[in-house]
Structure formats: C-alpha cells, structure tokens
Coordinates of all heavy atoms in Angstrom, one line a residue:
M1 N 10.2 -10.1 14.2 CA 10.2 -10.0 12.7 C 8.8 -9.6 12.3 O 7.8 -9.9 12.9 CB 10.4 -11.4 12.2 CG 10.8 -11.4 10.7 SD 11.0 -13.1 10.1 CE 9.4 -13.5 9.4
A2 N 8.8 -8.7 11.3 CA 7.5 -8.2 10.8 C 6.7 -9.2 10.2 O 7.2 -10.1 9.4 CB 7.8 -7.0 9.9
R3 N 5.4 -9.2 10.4 CA 4.5 -10.2 9.8 C 4.1 -9.7 8.4 O 3.9 -10.6 7.5 CB 3.3 -10.3 10.7 CG 2.4 -11.4 10.4 CD 1.4 -11.6 11.5 NE 0.2 -12.4 11.0 CZ -1.0 -12.0 11.2 NH1 -1.3 -10.9 11.8 NH2 -2.0 -12.7 10.7
Y4 N 3.9 -8.4 8.3 CA 3.4 -7.9 7.0 C 4.6 -7.4 6.2 O 5.1 -6.3 6.4 CB 2.4 -6.8 7.2 CG 1.1 -7.3 7.9 CD1 1.0 -7.4 9.3 CD2 0.1 -7.7 7.1 CE1 -0.1 -7.9 9.8 CE2 -1.1 -8.2 7.6 CZ -1.2 -8.3 9.0 OH -2.3 -8.8 9.6
E5 N 5.0 -8.2 5.2 CA 6.1 -7.8 4.4 C 5.7 -8.0 2.9 O 4.9 -8.9 2.6 CB 7.4 -8.7 4.6 CG 7.9 -8.5 6.0 CD 9.2 -9.4 6.2 OE1 10.3 -8.9 5.8 OE2 9.1 -10.5 6.7
G6 N 6.3 -7.3 2.0 CA 6.0 -7.4 0.6 C 7.0 -6.8 -0.3 O 8.0 -6.2 0.2
R7 N 6.8 -6.9 -1.5 CA 7.7 -6.3 -2.5 C 7.0 -6.2 -3.9 O 5.9 -6.7 -4.1 CB 8.9 -7.2 -2.7 CG 8.6 -8.6 -3.3 CD 9.9 -9.3 -3.6 NE 9.7 -10.6 -4.1 CZ 9.5 -10.9 -5.4 NH1 9.4 -10.0 -6.3 NH2 9.4 -12.2 -5.8
C8 N 7.7 -5.4 -4.7 CA 7.2 -5.3 -6.1 C 7.5 -6.5 -6.9 O 8.2 -7.4 -6.5 CB 7.8 -4.0 -6.7 SG 9.6 -4.1 -6.9
L9 N 7.1 -6.5 -8.2 CA 7.3 -7.6 -9.1 C 8.8 -7.9 -9.3 O 9.2 -9.0 -9.2 CB 6.7 -7.3 -10.4 CG 6.8 -8.4 -11.5 CD1 6.1 -9.6 -11.1 CD2 6.2 -7.8 -12.8
C10 N 9.6 -6.9 -9.5 CA 11.0 -7.1 -9.8 C 11.9 -7.2 -8.5 O 13.0 -7.7 -8.6 CB 11.6 -6.0 -10.6 SG 12.0 -4.4 -9.8
G11 N 11.3 -6.9 -7.4 CA 12.0 -7.1 -6.1 C 12.9 -5.9 -5.7 O 13.6 -5.9 -4.7
A12 N 13.0 -4.8 -6.5 CA 13.8 -3.7 -6.2 C 13.3 -2.9 -4.9 O 14.1 -2.4 -4.2 CB 13.9 -2.7 -7.4
V13 N 12.0 -2.9 -4.8 CA 11.4 -2.2 -3.6 C 10.8 -3.3 -2.7 O 10.1 -4.2 -3.1 CB 10.2 -1.3 -4.0 CG1 9.6 -0.6 -2.8 CG2 10.8 -0.2 -5.0
R14 N 11.2 -3.2 -1.4 CA 10.6 -4.0 -0.4 C 10.0 -3.2 0.7 O 10.5 -2.0 1.0 CB 11.7 -4.9 0.3 CG 12.2 -6.0 -0.6 CD 12.8 -7.1 0.2 NE 11.8 -7.7 1.0 CZ 11.0 -8.8 0.7 NH1 11.2 -9.3 -0.5 NH2 10.1 -9.2 1.5
Y15 N 9.0 -3.7 1.5 CA 8.5 -3.0 2.6 C 8.2 -3.9 3.7 O 8.0 -5.2 3.5 CB 7.3 -2.1 2.2 CG 6.1 -3.0 1.8 CD1 5.2 -3.5 2.7 CD2 5.8 -3.2 0.4 CE1 4.1 -4.3 2.3 CE2 4.8 -4.0 0.0 CZ 3.9 -4.5 1.0 OH 2.9 -5.3 0.6
R16 N 8.0 -3.4 4.9 CA 7.5 -4.2 6.0 C 6.8 -3.3 7.0 O 7.1 -2.1 7.1 CB 8.7 -5.0 6.7 CG 9.7 -4.1 7.3 CD 10.8 -4.9 8.0 NE 11.8 -4.1 8.6 CZ 12.9 -3.5 7.9 NH1 13.0 -3.7 6.6 NH2 13.7 -2.7 8.5
A17 N 5.8 -3.9 7.6 CA 5.0 -3.1 8.6 C 5.3 -3.8 10.0 O 5.2 -5.0 10.1 CB 3.6 -3.1 8.3
E18 N 5.5 -2.9 11.0 CA 5.8 -3.4 12.3 C 4.6 -3.5 13.2 O 4.7 -3.6 14.4 CB 6.9 -2.6 13.0 CG 8.2 -2.3 12.1 CD 9.0 -3.6 11.9 OE1 8.7 -4.6 12.7 OE2 9.9 -3.6 11.1
A19 N 3.4 -3.3 12.6 CA 2.2 -3.3 13.5 C 1.1 -4.0 12.7 O 1.2 -4.4 11.6 CB 1.8 -1.8 13.7
E20 N 0.0 -4.2 13.4 CA -1.2 -4.8 12.8 C -1.8 -3.7 12.0 O -1.7 -2.5 12.3 CB -2.2 -5.2 13.9 CG -1.7 -6.4 14.7 CD -1.5 -7.7 13.9 OE1 -2.5 -8.0 13.2 OE2 -0.4 -8.3 13.9
P21 N -2.5 -4.0 10.9 CA -3.2 -3.0 10.1 C -4.3 -2.3 10.9 O -5.0 -2.9 11.8 CB -3.9 -3.8 9.0 CG -3.2 -5.2 9.0 CD -2.7 -5.4 10.4
I22 N -4.5 -1.0 10.6 CA -5.6 -0.3 11.2 C -6.9 -0.7 10.6 O -8.0 -0.7 11.2 CB -5.4 1.2 10.9 CG1 -4.1 1.7 11.5 CG2 -6.5 2.1 11.5 CD1 -3.6 3.0 10.9
N23 N -6.8 -1.0 9.3 CA -8.0 -1.3 8.5 C -7.6 -2.1 7.3 O -6.5 -2.0 6.8 CB -8.7 0.0 8.1 CG -10.1 -0.2 7.6 OD1 -10.3 -1.0 6.7 ND2 -11.0 0.6 8.1
E24 N -8.5 -2.9 6.8 CA -8.2 -3.7 5.5 C -9.4 -3.5 4.6 O -10.5 -3.8 5.1 CB -7.9 -5.1 5.8 CG -6.8 -5.3 6.8 CD -6.4 -6.8 7.0 OE1 -6.3 -7.5 6.1 OE2 -6.3 -7.1 8.2
R25 N -9.3 -3.0 3.4 CA -10.4 -2.6 2.7 C -10.2 -2.8 1.2 O -9.1 -2.8 0.7 CB -10.9 -1.2 3.0 CG -9.8 -0.2 2.6 CD -10.3 1.2 2.8 NE -10.5 1.6 4.2 CZ -10.8 2.8 4.6 NH1 -11.0 3.7 3.7 NH2 -11.0 3.1 5.8
V26 N -11.3 -2.8 0.5 CA -11.3 -2.8 -1.0 C -12.0 -1.5 -1.4 O -13.2 -1.3 -1.1 CB -12.1 -4.0 -1.5 CG1 -12.2 -4.0 -3.0 CG2 -11.4 -5.3 -1.0
C27 N -11.4 -0.7 -2.3 CA -11.9 0.5 -2.8 C -12.2 0.4 -4.2 O -11.3 0.0 -5.0 CB -11.0 1.7 -2.5 SG -11.8 3.3 -3.0
H28 N -13.4 0.7 -4.6 CA -13.8 0.6 -6.0 C -14.0 2.0 -6.7 O -14.6 2.1 -7.7 CB -15.2 -0.1 -6.2 CG -15.2 -1.5 -5.8 ND1 -15.2 -1.9 -4.4 CD2 -15.1 -2.7 -6.5 CE1 -15.1 -3.3 -4.4 NE2 -15.1 -3.7 -5.6
C29 N -13.5 3.0 -6.0 CA -13.7 4.4 -6.6 C -12.9 4.5 -8.0 O -12.0 3.7 -8.3 CB -13.2 5.5 -5.6 SG -11.5 5.8 -5.6
R30 N -13.3 5.4 -8.8 CA -12.8 5.6 -10.1 C -11.3 5.9 -10.1 O -10.5 5.5 -10.9 CB -13.5 6.6 -10.9 CG -14.9 6.2 -11.4 CD -14.8 5.0 -12.3 NE -14.3 5.5 -13.6 CZ -13.4 4.7 -14.4 NH1 -13.0 3.6 -13.9 NH2 -13.0 5.2 -15.5
I31 N -10.9 6.7 -9.1 CA -9.4 7.0 -9.0 C -8.6 5.8 -8.7 O -7.6 5.6 -9.3 CB -9.2 8.1 -7.9 CG1 -9.9 9.4 -8.3 CG2 -7.7 8.4 -7.7 CD1 -9.9 10.5 -7.2
C32 N -9.1 4.9 -7.8 CA -8.3 3.7 -7.5 C -8.3 2.8 -8.8 O -7.3 2.2 -9.1 CB -9.0 2.9 -6.4 SG -8.5 3.6 -4.7
Q33 N -9.5 2.7 -9.4 CA -9.5 1.9 -10.6 C -8.5 2.3 -11.6 O -7.8 1.5 -12.2 CB -10.9 1.9 -11.2 CG -12.0 1.2 -10.4 CD -13.4 1.3 -11.0 OE1 -13.7 2.1 -11.8 NE2 -14.2 0.3 -10.6
R34 N -8.4 3.6 -11.9 CA -7.4 4.1 -12.9 C -6.0 3.9 -12.4 O -5.1 3.5 -13.1 CB -7.7 5.6 -13.1 CG -8.8 5.8 -14.1 CD -8.6 7.1 -14.8 NE -9.8 7.5 -15.5 CZ -10.2 7.0 -16.6 NH1 -9.5 6.1 -17.2 NH2 -11.3 7.5 -17.2
A35 N -5.8 4.1 -11.1 CA -4.4 4.0 -10.6 C -3.9 2.6 -10.6 O -2.7 2.3 -10.9 CB -4.3 4.6 -9.2
I36 N -4.8 1.7 -10.3 CA -4.4 0.3 -10.2 C -4.5 -0.4 -11.6 O -3.8 -1.4 -11.9 CB -5.3 -0.5 -9.2 CG1 -5.2 0.2 -7.8 CG2 -4.9 -2.0 -9.1 CD1 -3.9 0.0 -7.1
G37 N -5.4 0.1 -12.4 CA -5.7 -0.5 -13.7 C -6.5 -1.8 -13.6 O -6.4 -2.7 -14.4
A38 N -7.3 -1.8 -12.6 CA -8.2 -3.0 -12.3 C -9.5 -2.5 -11.7 O -9.7 -1.3 -11.5 CB -7.5 -4.0 -11.5
A39 N -10.4 -3.5 -11.4 CA -11.7 -3.2 -10.9 C -11.7 -2.6 -9.5 O -12.6 -1.8 -9.1 CB -12.6 -4.4 -10.9
F40 N -10.7 -2.8 -8.7 CA -10.7 -2.3 -7.3 C -9.2 -2.3 -6.8 O -8.3 -2.9 -7.4 CB -11.6 -3.2 -6.4 CG -11.3 -4.6 -6.4 CD1 -10.2 -5.1 -5.7 CD2 -12.0 -5.5 -7.2 CE1 -9.9 -6.5 -5.7 CE2 -11.7 -6.8 -7.2 CZ -10.7 -7.3 -6.5
N41 N -9.1 -1.6 -5.7 CA -7.8 -1.5 -5.0 C -8.0 -2.2 -3.6 O -8.6 -1.6 -2.8 CB -7.4 -0.1 -4.9 CG -6.0 0.1 -4.2 OD1 -5.3 -0.8 -3.9 ND2 -5.7 1.4 -3.9
A42 N -7.4 -3.3 -3.4 CA -7.4 -4.0 -2.2 C -6.2 -3.7 -1.4 O -5.1 -3.9 -1.8 CB -7.5 -5.6 -2.4
R43 N -6.4 -3.1 -0.2 CA -5.2 -2.6 0.6 C -5.4 -2.7 2.1 O -6.5 -2.8 2.6 CB -4.9 -1.2 0.2 CG -6.0 -0.2 0.5 CD -5.6 1.2 -0.1 NE -6.5 2.2 0.4 CZ -7.5 2.7 -0.4 NH1 -7.7 2.3 -1.6 NH2 -8.2 3.7 0.1
L44 N -4.2 -2.7 2.7 CA -4.1 -2.8 4.2 C -3.6 -1.4 4.7 O -2.5 -1.0 4.2 CB -3.2 -3.9 4.6 CG -3.5 -5.3 4.2 CD1 -3.0 -5.6 2.8 CD2 -3.0 -6.3 5.2
L45 N -4.3 -0.8 5.6 CA -3.9 0.5 6.0 C -3.1 0.4 7.3 O -3.5 -0.3 8.3 CB -5.1 1.4 6.3 CG -6.1 1.5 5.1 CD1 -7.2 2.5 5.5 CD2 -5.4 2.0 3.9
F46 N -1.9 1.1 7.3 CA -1.1 1.2 8.5 C -0.8 2.7 8.8 O -1.0 3.5 7.9 CB 0.3 0.5 8.2 CG 0.2 -1.0 8.0 CD1 0.1 -1.5 6.7 CD2 0.2 -1.9 9.0 CE1 0.0 -2.8 6.4 CE2 0.1 -3.2 8.8 CZ 0.0 -3.7 7.5
R47 N -0.3 2.9 10.0 CA 0.3 4.3 10.2 C 1.6 4.4 9.5 O 2.3 3.4 9.4 CB 0.5 4.5 11.7 CG -0.8 4.5 12.5 CD -0.7 5.0 13.9 NE -1.9 4.6 14.6 CZ -3.1 5.1 14.4 NH1 -3.4 6.0 13.4 NH2 -4.2 4.6 15.1
I48 N 1.8 5.6 8.9 CA 3.0 5.8 8.1 C 4.3 5.4 8.8 O 5.1 4.7 8.3 CB 3.1 7.3 7.6 CG1 2.0 7.6 6.6 CG2 4.4 7.5 7.0 CD1 1.8 9.0 6.3
D49 N 4.4 5.7 10.1 CA 5.6 5.4 10.9 C 5.8 3.9 11.1 O 6.9 3.5 11.4 CB 5.5 6.1 12.2 CG 5.5 7.6 12.1 OD1 5.9 8.1 11.0 OD2 5.1 8.3 13.1
D50 N 4.8 3.1 10.9 CA 4.9 1.7 11.2 C 5.4 0.9 9.9 O 5.6 -0.3 10.0 CB 3.5 1.1 11.6 CG 3.2 1.5 13.0 OD1 4.1 1.8 13.8 OD2 2.0 1.5 13.3
V51 N 5.5 1.6 8.8 CA 5.9 1.0 7.6 C 7.3 1.5 7.1 O 7.5 2.7 7.1 CB 4.9 1.2 6.4 CG1 5.3 0.4 5.2 CG2 3.5 0.8 6.9
T52 N 8.2 0.5 6.9 CA 9.5 0.8 6.3 C 9.6 0.4 4.9 O 9.3 -0.7 4.6 CB 10.6 0.1 7.1 OG1 10.4 0.4 8.5 CG2 12.0 0.5 6.7
I53 N 10.0 1.3 4.0 CA 10.0 1.0 2.6 C 11.5 1.3 2.1 O 12.1 2.3 2.4 CB 9.1 1.9 1.8 CG1 7.6 1.7 2.3 CG2 9.2 1.7 0.3 CD1 6.6 2.7 1.8
E54 N 12.0 0.3 1.4 CA 13.4 0.4 0.9 C 13.4 0.2 -0.6 O 12.7 -0.8 -1.1 CB 14.3 -0.6 1.6 CG 14.5 -0.4 3.0 CD 15.1 -1.5 3.8 OE1 15.2 -2.6 3.2 OE2 15.6 -1.3 4.9
G55 N 14.1 1.0 -1.3 CA 14.2 0.8 -2.8 C 13.7 2.0 -3.5 O 13.3 3.0 -3.0
P56 N 13.8 2.0 -4.9 CA 13.5 3.1 -5.7 C 12.0 3.4 -5.9 O 11.5 3.0 -7.0 CB 14.2 2.7 -7.0 CG 14.1 1.2 -7.1 CD 14.2 0.8 -5.6
V57 N 11.4 4.0 -4.9 CA 10.0 4.3 -5.0 C 9.8 5.6 -5.7 O 10.4 6.6 -5.5 CB 9.3 4.4 -3.6 CG1 7.9 4.8 -3.7 CG2 9.5 3.0 -2.9
A58 N 8.8 5.6 -6.7 CA 8.4 6.8 -7.3 C 7.0 7.1 -6.8 O 6.2 6.2 -6.4 CB 8.4 6.7 -8.8
T59 N 6.6 8.4 -6.8 CA 5.2 8.7 -6.3 C 4.6 9.7 -7.3 O 5.2 10.4 -8.0 CB 5.2 9.3 -4.9 OG1 5.9 10.5 -4.9 CG2 5.8 8.4 -3.9
I60 N 3.2 9.6 -7.3 CA 2.5 10.6 -8.0 C 1.2 10.9 -7.2 O 0.7 10.0 -6.5 CB 2.1 10.1 -9.4 CG1 1.4 11.2 -10.2 CG2 1.2 8.8 -9.3 CD1 1.3 10.9 -11.7
N61 N 0.8 12.2 -7.2 CA -0.4 12.6 -6.4 C -1.6 12.3 -7.3 O -1.7 12.9 -8.4 CB -0.3 14.1 -6.1 CG 0.6 14.3 -4.8 OD1 1.8 14.2 -4.9 ND2 -0.1 14.6 -3.7
S62 N -2.5 11.5 -6.8 CA -3.8 11.3 -7.5 C -4.8 12.4 -7.1 O -5.7 12.7 -7.8 CB -4.3 9.9 -7.4 OG -4.5 9.6 -6.0
T63 N -4.7 12.8 -5.9 CA -5.4 14.0 -5.4 C -4.3 14.8 -4.6 O -3.3 14.3 -4.3 CB -6.6 13.7 -4.5 OG1 -6.1 13.0 -3.4 CG2 -7.6 12.8 -5.2
P64 N -4.6 16.1 -4.3 CA -3.5 16.9 -3.6 C -3.1 16.2 -2.3 O -1.9 16.3 -1.9 CB -4.2 18.2 -3.3 CG -5.2 18.3 -4.4 CD -5.7 16.9 -4.7
D65 N -4.0 15.4 -1.7 CA -3.7 14.9 -0.4 C -3.3 13.4 -0.4 O -2.9 12.8 0.6 CB -5.0 15.0 0.5 CG -4.7 14.7 1.9 OD1 -3.6 15.1 2.4 OD2 -5.6 14.1 2.6
L66 N -3.3 12.8 -1.6 CA -3.0 11.4 -1.7 C -1.9 11.1 -2.7 O -2.0 11.4 -3.9 CB -4.3 10.6 -2.1 CG -4.1 9.1 -2.0 CD1 -4.2 8.6 -0.5 CD2 -5.2 8.4 -2.7
K67 N -0.8 10.4 -2.2 CA 0.3 10.0 -3.0 C 0.2 8.5 -3.3 O 0.0 7.7 -2.4 CB 1.6 10.2 -2.3 CG 2.2 11.6 -2.4 CD 3.6 11.6 -1.9 CE 4.4 12.9 -2.2 NZ 3.7 14.1 -1.9
R68 N 0.4 8.2 -4.6 CA 0.4 6.8 -5.0 C 1.9 6.4 -5.2 O 2.6 7.1 -5.9 CB -0.3 6.5 -6.3 CG -1.7 7.1 -6.3 CD -2.7 6.0 -6.1 NE -4.1 6.6 -5.9 CZ -5.1 5.9 -5.5 NH1 -5.0 4.6 -5.4 NH2 -6.3 6.5 -5.3
G69 N 2.3 5.3 -4.6 CA 3.7 4.9 -4.6 C 3.9 3.7 -5.5 O 3.1 2.7 -5.3
F70 N 4.9 3.7 -6.3 CA 5.1 2.5 -7.2 C 6.6 2.3 -7.4 O 7.4 3.3 -7.2 CB 4.3 2.7 -8.5 CG 4.7 3.9 -9.3 CD1 5.6 4.0 -10.3 CD2 4.0 5.1 -9.0 CE1 5.9 5.1 -11.0 CE2 4.3 6.3 -9.7 CZ 5.2 6.3 -10.7
C71 N 7.0 1.1 -7.9 CA 8.4 0.8 -8.1 C 8.8 1.6 -9.4 O 8.2 1.4 -10.4 CB 8.6 -0.7 -8.3 SG 10.3 -1.1 -8.8
A72 N 9.9 2.3 -9.3 CA 10.4 3.1 -10.5 C 10.9 2.2 -11.5 O 11.0 2.6 -12.7 CB 11.4 4.1 -10.0
A73 N 11.2 0.9 -11.2 CA 11.8 0.0 -12.2 C 10.8 -0.8 -12.9 O 10.8 -0.9 -14.1 CB 12.8 -0.9 -11.5
C74 N 9.8 -1.4 -12.1 CA 8.9 -2.3 -12.8 C 7.5 -1.8 -12.8 O 6.6 -2.3 -13.5 CB 8.9 -3.7 -12.1 SG 8.2 -3.7 -10.4
G75 N 7.2 -0.7 -12.0 CA 5.9 -0.1 -12.1 C 4.8 -0.6 -11.2 O 3.7 -0.2 -11.2
T76 N 5.1 -1.7 -10.4 CA 4.1 -2.3 -9.5 C 3.6 -1.2 -8.5 O 4.4 -0.5 -7.9 CB 4.8 -3.4 -8.7 OG1 5.2 -4.4 -9.5 CG2 3.8 -4.0 -7.7
T77 N 2.3 -1.1 -8.4 CA 1.7 -0.2 -7.4 C 1.9 -0.8 -6.0 O 1.4 -1.9 -5.8 CB 0.2 0.1 -7.7 OG1 0.1 0.7 -9.0 CG2 -0.4 1.0 -6.6
L78 N 2.5 -0.1 -5.1 CA 2.8 -0.6 -3.8 C 2.0 0.0 -2.7 O 1.6 -0.6 -1.7 CB 4.2 -0.5 -3.5 CG 5.1 -1.3 -4.4 CD1 6.6 -0.8 -4.3 CD2 5.1 -2.8 -3.9
F79 N 1.7 1.3 -2.8 CA 1.0 1.9 -1.6 C 0.3 3.2 -2.1 O 0.6 3.8 -3.1 CB 1.9 2.2 -0.5 CG 3.0 3.3 -0.8 CD1 2.8 4.6 -0.7 CD2 4.3 2.8 -1.2 CE1 3.8 5.6 -0.9 CE2 5.3 3.8 -1.4 CZ 5.0 5.1 -1.3
S80 N -0.6 3.6 -1.2 CA -1.2 5.0 -1.3 C -1.0 5.6 0.1 O -1.2 4.9 1.1 CB -2.7 4.9 -1.7 OG -3.4 4.0 -1.0
R81 N -0.6 6.8 0.1 CA -0.2 7.5 1.4 C -0.9 8.8 1.5 O -0.9 9.7 0.6 CB 1.3 7.7 1.3 CG 1.9 8.5 2.4 CD 3.4 8.7 2.2 NE 3.9 9.7 3.1 CZ 5.1 9.7 3.6 NH1 6.0 8.8 3.2 NH2 5.5 10.7 4.4
R82 N -1.5 9.0 2.7 CA -2.3 10.2 3.0 C -1.6 10.8 4.3 O -1.9 10.4 5.4 CB -3.7 9.9 3.3 CG -4.6 11.1 3.2 CD -6.1 10.8 3.4 NE -6.7 9.9 2.4 CZ -7.2 10.4 1.2 NH1 -7.1 11.6 0.9 NH2 -7.8 9.5 0.4
D83 N -0.7 11.8 4.1 CA 0.0 12.4 5.2 C -0.9 13.1 6.2 O -0.6 13.0 7.4 CB 1.1 13.4 4.6 CG 2.2 12.7 3.9 OD1 2.6 11.6 4.3 OD2 2.6 13.2 2.8
S84 N -1.9 13.7 5.7 CA -2.8 14.5 6.7 C -3.4 13.6 7.7 O -3.8 14.0 8.8 CB -3.8 15.2 5.9 OG -4.7 14.3 5.3
R85 N -3.6 12.3 7.4 CA -4.2 11.4 8.3 C -3.2 10.3 8.8 O -3.6 9.4 9.5 CB -5.4 10.7 7.7 CG -6.5 11.7 7.5 CD -7.7 11.1 6.7 NE -8.2 9.9 7.5 CZ -8.9 8.9 6.9 NH1 -9.2 9.0 5.6 NH2 -9.3 7.9 7.6
N86 N -1.9 10.5 8.5 CA -0.9 9.5 8.9 C -1.2 8.1 8.5 O -1.1 7.2 9.3 CB -0.6 9.6 10.4 CG 0.6 8.8 10.9 OD1 1.5 8.5 10.1 ND2 0.6 8.4 12.1
I87 N -1.7 7.9 7.3 CA -2.1 6.6 6.9 C -1.4 6.2 5.6 O -1.2 7.0 4.7 CB -3.6 6.5 6.7 CG1 -4.3 6.4 8.0 CG2 -4.0 5.4 5.8 CD1 -5.8 6.5 7.9
L88 N -0.9 4.9 5.5 CA -0.3 4.4 4.3 C -1.0 3.0 4.1 O -1.0 2.2 4.9 CB 1.2 4.3 4.5 CG 2.0 3.9 3.3 CD1 3.3 4.6 3.3 CD2 2.2 2.4 3.2
G89 N -1.5 2.9 2.9 CA -2.2 1.6 2.5 C -1.4 0.9 1.5 O -1.1 1.4 0.4
V90 N -1.0 -0.3 1.9 CA -0.2 -1.2 1.0 C -1.1 -2.1 0.2 O -2.1 -2.6 0.7 CB 0.9 -2.0 1.7 CG1 1.9 -1.1 2.5 CG2 0.4 -3.1 2.6
T91 N -0.8 -2.3 -1.0 CA -1.6 -3.2 -1.9 C -1.5 -4.6 -1.4 O -0.4 -5.2 -1.2 CB -1.2 -3.1 -3.4 OG1 0.2 -3.3 -3.5 CG2 -1.5 -1.7 -3.9
S92 N -2.7 -5.3 -1.3 CA -2.7 -6.7 -0.8 C -1.9 -7.6 -1.7 O -1.3 -8.6 -1.2 CB -4.1 -7.1 -0.6 OG -4.8 -7.2 -1.9
G93 N -1.9 -7.4 -3.0 CA -1.3 -8.3 -3.9 C 0.2 -8.2 -3.8 O 0.9 -9.1 -4.3
S94 N 0.8 -7.2 -3.2 CA 2.2 -7.1 -3.1 C 2.8 -7.8 -1.9 O 4.0 -7.9 -1.7 CB 2.7 -5.6 -3.2 OG 2.2 -4.9 -2.0
L95 N 1.9 -8.2 -1.0 CA 2.4 -8.9 0.2 C 3.1 -10.2 -0.2 O 2.7 -10.9 -1.1 CB 1.2 -9.3 1.1 CG 0.5 -8.1 1.9 CD1 -0.8 -8.7 2.5 CD2 1.4 -7.6 2.9
D96 N 4.1 -10.6 0.6 CA 4.7 -11.9 0.4 C 3.7 -13.0 0.7 O 3.8 -14.1 0.1 CB 5.9 -12.0 1.3 CG 7.1 -11.1 0.9 OD1 7.1 -10.7 -0.3 OD2 8.0 -10.9 1.7
D97 N 2.8 -12.8 1.7 CA 1.8 -13.7 2.0 C 0.4 -13.0 1.8 O -0.1 -12.5 2.8 CB 2.0 -14.3 3.4 CG 0.9 -15.3 3.7 OD1 0.0 -15.6 2.9 OD2 0.9 -15.7 4.9
P98 N -0.2 -13.0 0.6 CA -1.4 -12.3 0.4 C -2.6 -12.9 1.2 O -3.6 -12.2 1.4 CB -1.7 -12.5 -1.1 CG -0.4 -13.0 -1.7 CD 0.3 -13.7 -0.6
S99 N -2.4 -14.1 1.7 CA -3.5 -14.6 2.5 C -3.7 -13.9 3.9 O -4.7 -14.1 4.6 CB -3.3 -16.1 2.8 OG -2.3 -16.3 3.7
L100 N -2.8 -13.0 4.2 CA -2.9 -12.2 5.4 C -4.0 -11.2 5.3 O -4.6 -10.7 6.3 CB -1.6 -11.5 5.8 CG -0.5 -12.4 6.2 CD1 0.8 -11.5 6.3 CD2 -0.8 -13.0 7.5
F101 N -4.4 -10.9 4.0 CA -5.4 -9.8 3.8 C -6.8 -10.3 4.2 O -7.3 -11.3 3.6 CB -5.4 -9.5 2.3 CG -6.4 -8.4 1.9 CD1 -6.4 -7.2 2.5 CD2 -7.3 -8.6 0.9 CE1 -7.3 -6.2 2.1 CE2 -8.2 -7.7 0.5 CZ -8.2 -6.4 1.1
K102 N -7.4 -9.6 5.1 CA -8.7 -10.0 5.6 C -9.6 -8.7 5.6 O -9.8 -8.0 6.6 CB -8.6 -10.5 7.1 CG -7.7 -11.7 7.2 CD -8.4 -13.0 6.9 CE -7.6 -14.2 7.3 NZ -6.5 -14.5 6.4
P103 N -10.2 -8.5 4.4 CA -11.0 -7.2 4.3 C -12.3 -7.3 5.1 O -12.7 -8.4 5.4 CB -11.3 -7.1 2.8 CG -11.2 -8.5 2.3 CD -10.2 -9.2 3.2
Ligands
LIG1 ZN1 10.0 -3.3 -9.0
LIG2 ZN1 -10.4 4.6 -4.0

C-alpha cells in the first residue's frame, strides 16, 4: 500500500505515490505564490512514473516547462509537473496525512 496518498478538497481527484520522495521543499518564488495563492508552495517531489493520479485533473503551464495540476471541480492545487526532469511535486496540504511532509 502506498504511504503517500492524497486528494483534493472535494475528493474527485486522488493520487498515490509508490516511492519515497526525491525531495521535500518549500518554494517562495513569485510564480508559486501566485499559483497557490499563499506565501509559499510546500511540496514533495516524486518521479512522474511513481505517482498515479485519478480523476478530473486540469492543468495550466506556469512556464513552458512546468505544468500546474488542479482539480477541475473544486480547484485544489495538487501538483506541479516538470516533464523534462521527470519530476512531479505534490502539494503537502493535499496529503491524507500531512505530517509525512518533512522539508
Ligand atoms: Zn476536487
Ligand atoms: Zn516556486
């Protein structure tokens, strides 16, 4: 069973990661601030292939190389994905158990 699981506010989108995070970090850049609508973006980075996402995800590119994923129904920001580096960062607040986040 995956240890890292989460979902959006309404529950329409769920995800799980089958591996340990590559990195756990807090980003305060202006793009993250705007995308999240808060002072920082706290996230856990995984390889894209290690994360399974189910549900109506919508995405928008915040830069040509970075896609932000959110629930199309409730708008919860769930991940940022960088294909060129095979990295997907899930938002720590969307975890079922946010105490797993160790930046
Ligand atoms: Zn939702
Ligand atoms: Zn950032």
Side-chain angles (χ1 to χ4, degrees):
M1 201 183 91
R3 186 167 162 234
Y4 293 89
E5 295 183 86
R7 66 171 176 86
C8 63
L9 181 64
C10 77
V13 180
R14 289 204 61 90
Y15 66 83
R16 62 181 180 276
E18 308 291 349
E20 293 296 308
I22 304 163
N23 193 309
E24 304 183 48
R25 63 173 68 176
V26 175
C27 184
H28 294 79
C29 83
R30 286 296 289 140
I31 295 172
C32 281
Q33 287 178 341
R34 281 208 194 279
I36 303 290
F40 54 82
N41 179 9
R43 60 185 190 259
L44 300 85
L45 305 183
F46 296 94
R47 295 196 195 291
I48 291 171
D49 296 343
D50 288 335
V51 184
T52 306
I53 301 169
E54 292 167 346
V57 175
T59 62
I60 186 166
N61 280 74
S62 59
T63 62
D65 194 34
L66 190 74
K67 273 190 167 51
R68 309 254 170 191
F70 55 95
C71 172
C74 71
T76 300
T77 298
L78 292 163
F79 65 85
S80 47
R81 170 180 169 153
R82 199 180 293 278
D83 289 319
S84 64
R85 293 176 56 202
N86 187 24
I87 283 175
L88 188 146
V90 303
T91 50
S92 65
S94 65
L95 287 170
D96 288 341
D97 180 3
S99 72
L100 293 172
F101 181 56
K102 302 277 190 280

